[in-house]
Structures are given as C-alpha cells and as structure tokens.
Amino acid sequence: MKTTVLKIVLPAFAIVMAVGLAFATEENNLPVTGYISTPSGPLPVQTDCPDTGQGYCFKESNPVYRTMALENQIRDWE
Amino acid sequence: MSSKNFNNYIISAIKLLLGMLFIYTATGKLMHLDIFQMRLEQMPYISPLASSLKWLVPFAELVIVGLLLIGKYRALGMYASFILLGLFTMYIMAVLRFNEHVPCSCGGVLSALSWRDHILFNGAFMLLALTAIRLSRKGNKDKPQNQNTT
C-alpha cells in the first residue's frame, strides 16, 4: 500500500498539479502589448518585460510605453 | 526509520520536485509554441536555432520526466536534469556577462524572477539533483554484492 502511494499516486498527483499550475499561470506567460515611438507614429509591439523592477523596458533600444500616447515607460528588472 | 529508507524518501521527493518543474515548464512552452519560438528568436547566440529548439527543449524536458518516473532509469534522469539545468544556467550567465540587453524569456510563475534570481533558482534545483545523485550512488554502494557465482 505504502509502495503504491509512493510509486503511483504521488507521481500522478504531482503531474496533474504541475499541468494545472501551467494552465493556471498561462496568462503570466503571454507577452504584453506596448508602444514604441517611430517616425510614422506609435507602433504596437509585443514585449516580455515584467513591468516591475528598477529598470525600463526597451525593444531594440527603443523605449516601450504602456499607452499609445507614449506615456509611462514599462518597467524591467534592470 | 532506517537511513536507507530516509534516503529513499529524500530521493523520491527530489525526483517529484524535478519532475514537476520540467512538466510545468514544458506544458507552458507547448501551450504557446509560437510565442516560445518568438522569444527564442530574440535570445542572443541561439536565435538561429529557434525553430529546432522550440521542439527540442520541451521534448527533452518531457523525456527527463519519463526517465525520472521509471525506476530503472531514475539515476539517468537525475543526471539529465542536472545537465539540462546546468546548460541553461551557463547560458544565462554567458548572456548576462557578454550582453548589455537581455530579453526576458521566462514565463508563468518564473516570470516573477529576474535573470539573477533565475540563476539562484536553477542552482537550487541543480543542488537538489546532485544530492539525489549522491544519495542514489551511496545507496547502490551499500547494497550487498551478488554472491551467486554459478
């Protein structure tokens, strides 16, 4: 009985929990839309910046903003 | 409880933790393969391999889970976990050392970690894998040798 729990039930539970957690945190895994300044106006870009931390978010050296008005630069770790 | 039993519980717990980590990360990648590829394409050094790596990484993670779950291949799974985590950690360290701008490619719960925290996180799991390997080898050494010579 003890062996069955250790060898089958516990691993099965762990697998289900890990898959469930992956689905539950799916939204955190998606990139967010930010805006960069271009000569033709603000351009929407996808970014993985976590919007937290000390630094600022850049896309190929262009600062990434939260809004189309290019206000509030998105945060990055460093 | 004998020390052998205690070691077996520790090894099983570590095996489960490593398995959960790899299933969690592999599922996250497989759910959004296109986004994973886009992130790989932004990463320094490995961007040309993005289309192969998007399949290879989750596949390797799931194979390792399989190895960890099958008793016969448990030790191989521990070594493979250690190597995969080690490769990822070395890659992050190289990127942090030689690149000014580091794009984030961590998702889910792990996205709450900065790259430096990620190194610590990986280091902790590598340490766990190493502990399980050592306990496993110790257990094998302590096993009585087969005396049957027929």
Side-chain angles (χ1 to χ4, degrees), chain B residues 98-113:
Chain B
F98 299 112
N99 287 69
E100 257 181 46
H101 178 63
V102 187
C104 179
S105 184
C106 38
V109 172
L110 304 184
S111 63
L113 303 175

Side-chain angles (χ1 to χ4, degrees), chain B residues 4 13 19 33 38 41 61 67 73 79 98 108 125 136 139 142:
Chain B
K4 193 184 161 195
L33 265 180
M38 181 197 85
E41 281 165 356
E61 287 172 339
L67 292 173
Y73 301 113
Y79 280 108
F98 299 112
F125 271 90
S136 203
D142 293 345

Side-chain angles (χ1 to χ4, degrees), chain B residues 14 20 45 76 121:
Chain B
I14 293 174
M20 280 179 73
Y45 314 125
L76 188 63
F121 181 86

